[in-house]
Amino acid sequence: TPTDPITKKEIDKIHHFFEKELKPLHKALEQTPVTTLVGSSGSFRTLVSLILGILHNTKRSAHKSKSYHIAIEDYILICRLLIQSTSAERKTMKGMDPMRVELMVLAVIFIRYIILRYNIQSIIQSNYAIKEGALWTIINENS
């Protein structure tokens, strides 16, 4: 468990872990580069809720579209805020899912790693989860 707030040394250790453990991803993205990161479910949904709540002073329910484009600048601001925050501070953030208080710091560190490592230019949060995509595939294969 990282300290509260997380330290630069801990973040560096996490980045080293990603470099070592994600070698298959590195190889795949060298062969087929991408510029857009698409995220779904919990952490990305919470990320959008934080952006809307803190930066835009609105609620998630105002944005019921199938996806939400996350501006890189908004992501960077929320990422910095989360990394510098304590667990107690995150609990009070407008848009924070209580179940994500402990996970969001690691989630934004991972997202930041992906953005920087692969030169990601845009981020999209999908309201559809992976399980819905898998179910759609199964249904269409059996039709």
Side-chain angles (χ1 to χ4, degrees):
T1 305
T3 56
D4 192 30
I6 196 166
T7 66
K8 169 122 176 54
K9 186 176 181 178
E10 290 169 319
I11 294 171
D12 290 342
K13 253 177 111 170
I14 292 167
H15 283 188
H16 178 72
F17 175 81
F18 292 155
E19 276 298 315
K20 182 178 153 194
E21 297 299 320
L22 296 175
K23 287 184 182 179
L25 178 63
H26 303 326
K27 285 183 181 183
L29 291 177
E30 284 172 9
Q31 294 173 358
T32 310
V34 297
T35 58
T36 300
L37 173 64
V38 179
S40 64
S41 298
S43 294
F44 277 88
R45 186 173 290 129
T46 301
L47 179 59
V48 170
S49 292
L50 289 166
I51 289 168
L52 293 173
I54 296 170
L55 302 180
H56 301 294
N57 199 28
T58 187
K59 289 186 178 183
R60 176 70 195 204
S61 60
H63 298 275
K64 289 286 187 185
S65 64
K66 294 178 184 172
S67 64
Y68 181 86
H69 180 268
I70 300 171
I72 296 286
E73 302 79 27
D74 287 352
Y75 165 76
I76 290 169
L77 290 171
I78 293 298
C79 179
R80 285 183 186 150
L81 179 67
L82 288 169
I83 287 173
Q84 295 170 357
S85 69
T86 65
S87 179
E89 291 167 333
R90 289 190 300 278
K91 286 178 185 176
T92 66
M93 289 180 181
K94 190 173 178 181
M96 177 59 77
D97 179 344
M99 292 176 44
R100 300 274 168 194
V101 169
E102 299 304 323
L103 299 173
M104 282 308 294
V105 170
L106 295 175
V108 296
I109 289 170
F110 183 61
I111 294 167
R112 183 177 68 181
Y113 170 83
I114 296 295
I115 289 170
L116 295 174
R117 179 72 161 80
Y118 303 109
N119 196 27
I120 297 297
Q121 302 298 308
S122 64
I123 309 170
I124 298 172
Q125 181 265 327
S126 172
N127 282 330
Y128 296 107
I130 293 171
K131 64 184 171 208
E132 293 163 328
L135 181 59
W136 180 256
T137 300
I138 291 167
I139 290 169
N140 284 320
E141 285 176 356
N142 295 323
S143 306

